[in-house]
Amino acid sequence: KAGVTQTPRYLIKTRGQQVTLSCSPISGHRSVSWYQQTPGQGLQFLFEYFSETQRNKGNFPGRFSGRQFSNSRSEMNVSTLELGDSALYLCASSLYQGGPYEQYFGPGTRLTVT
Amino acid sequence: EDKVVQSPLSLVVHEGDTVTLNCSYEVTNFRSLLWYKQEKKAPTFLFMLTSSGIEKKSGRLSSILDKKELFSILNITATQTGDSAVYLCAAQDDYGGSQGNLIFGKGTKLSVKP
């Protein structure tokens, strides 16, 4: 079974631009969560989607948004990029929402904002 | 606020040593505890623990959960240089909220020297 895939793997953007990242969960998985990982803050939760609905949202500004499609694929968007948005963005999928379900991570998208 | 605390934050050992990594948690709607290994990429799933006192084992790695004392340990025996990584512990919350479904600790950085 194929794992979680994320595209693109690397991105370089300039301040003020916007970016869209994509995540395809493991086949059959319906829940997708997004995390931002930085050396100083570790893994921080962005949002979780299940059945095309945002179920939980982390403490990030409104510039960060996401959505989930009927095939469970998910996208996240960051508008008006800031230097501090440079990070590894990870998505994780699980069978259902809540627990106890194993969550598997994708390879991540490394975003650099200059 | 729910939290997960890992100790030690970093550890240096020599090949062949046995190590024990600790994870304590305070999560209101606890469902399970997960361990991940992260090298220079996305976290790789190791174990999910839901029941107290039942050891999960995979090769040289093993883990156990104590739901009364709210902690888990990850043991690695006969360490190898390939075990060098950051080990992340995450407690799964049934309802999520602003911290999301998985609440991560800061990780333990393990360095295994030849």
Side-chain angles (χ1 to χ4, degrees):
Chain A
K1 200 183 256 191
V4 180
T5 59
Q6 290 186 246
T7 57
R9 294 293 310 279
Y10 301 92
L11 263 180
I12 300 175
K13 292 284 189 178
T14 56
R15 277 178 298 176
Q17 288 187 313
Q18 76 165 21
V19 66
T20 299
L21 312 181
S22 180
C23 171
S24 292
I26 291 171
S27 178
H29 283 195
R30 294 169 59 190
S31 175
V32 173
S33 297
W34 288 89
Y35 297 86
Q36 180 195 67
Q37 187 175 36
T38 57
Q41 299 296 323
L43 273 155
Q44 291 186 284
F45 170 73
L46 280 157
F47 19 67
E48 179 191 12
Y49 288 89
F50 179 75
S51 293
E52 301 176 67
T53 302
Q54 187 179 88
R55 301 292 175 154
N56 295 301
K57 188 178 191 310
N59 295 319
F60 278 81
R63 301 185 295 108
F64 292 80
S65 63
R67 59 178 174 167
Q68 186 180 35
F69 302 95
S70 58
N71 62 358
S72 295
R73 189 177 71 85
S74 177
E75 287 181 348
M76 67 164 280
N77 184 278
V78 188
S79 62
T80 320
L81 284 165
E82 300 177 0
L83 294 178
D85 297 333
S86 295
L88 179 66
Y89 289 88
L90 294 163
C91 104
S93 80
S94 64
L95 201 56
Y96 293 110
Q97 183 197 17
Y101 297 111
E102 298 168 3
Q103 285 200 18
Y104 296 91
F105 282 86
T109 295
R110 173 76 61 186
L111 172 65
T112 302
V113 182
T114 62
Chain B
E1 186 174 86
D2 294 339
K3 65 179 180 180
V4 173
V5 177
Q6 292 186 245
S7 64
L9 290 181
S10 67
L11 191 55
V12 180
V13 300
H14 288 93
E15 272 191 318
D17 288 349
T18 293
V19 298
T20 298
L21 310 183
N22 303 294
C23 173
S24 65
Y25 62 90
E26 292 177 27
V27 174
T28 307
N29 302 296
F30 177 81
R31 289 303 302 271
S32 65
L33 191 121
L34 289 81
W35 284 96
Y36 292 88
K37 175 183 181 183
Q38 185 173 29
E39 296 165 274
K40 291 186 188 295
K41 49 187 176 163
T44 303
F45 174 82
L46 294 175
F47 298 112
M48 184 176 76
L49 305 152
T50 55
S51 302
S52 267
I54 298 175
E55 185 183 56
K56 288 219 171 178
K57 200 170 169 64
S58 176
R60 297 175 294 102
L61 276 66
S62 63
S63 183
I64 198 161
L65 174 67
D66 185 327
K67 290 169 77 173
K68 183 179 175 186
E69 300 297 330
L70 308 183
F71 78 89
S72 174
I73 59 171
L74 175 68
N75 278 321
I76 308 175
T77 59
T79 52
Q80 303 171 356
T81 54
D83 295 327
S84 295
V86 173
Y87 290 84
L88 294 164
C89 161
Q92 195 164 45
D93 182 292
D94 211 13
Y95 295 106
S98 65
Q99 289 181 281
N101 185 243
L102 277 186
I103 300 152
F104 281 89
K106 295 293 187 188
T108 293
K109 182 177 181 180
L110 174 66
S111 299
V112 182
K113 296 194 175 301

